[in-house]
Amino acid sequence: MATTPTTFEVDGTAICNKRMSAGMEVQQLADKAGITASYLRKLERGARTRMKPATYVRLRAALDANETELLAPHPDPPERK
């Protein structure tokens, strides 16, 4: 049975690119997602990398993003010898 993670690790560059592609300013997206502009700037700069599930869902909805496109990429685990 899958469980909801307690936080999501996000990719600030992906958030910024998606916001700019949507033609939104930081404050516009922050208002639409129900977060502060300061928090959004920190996410985009990479100063903050984790989001609570409800906040992540609101940001995704505000950007019309799918479930994974704002998540930080995870490197493949090292191969075992």
Side-chain angles (χ1 to χ4, degrees):
M1 180 161 79
T3 61
T4 302
T6 56
T7 60
F8 287 89
E9 189 172 352
V10 296
D11 180 349
T13 302
I15 294 169
C16 184
N17 290 341
K18 189 79 171 168
R19 174 182 60 78
M20 292 189 331
S21 293
M24 283 191 267
E25 296 293 327
V26 170
Q27 188 64 56
Q28 289 174 302
L29 177 56
D31 290 344
K32 194 171 179 181
I35 59 177
T36 66
S38 173
Y39 180 57
L40 179 55
R41 283 187 200 95
K42 288 175 184 174
L43 289 169
E44 288 188 351
R45 283 194 325 262
R48 297 285 304 264
T49 59
R50 297 204 171 267
M51 299 183 76
K52 292 182 180 178
T55 309
Y56 178 66
V57 168
R58 289 195 316 267
L59 180 64
R60 273 188 29 232
L63 286 171
D64 195 28
N66 69 34
E67 290 184 22
T68 60
E69 68 185 302
L70 302 180
L71 294 178
H74 287 282
D76 292 330
E79 290 185 30
R80 292 185 170 227
K81 294 184 179 185

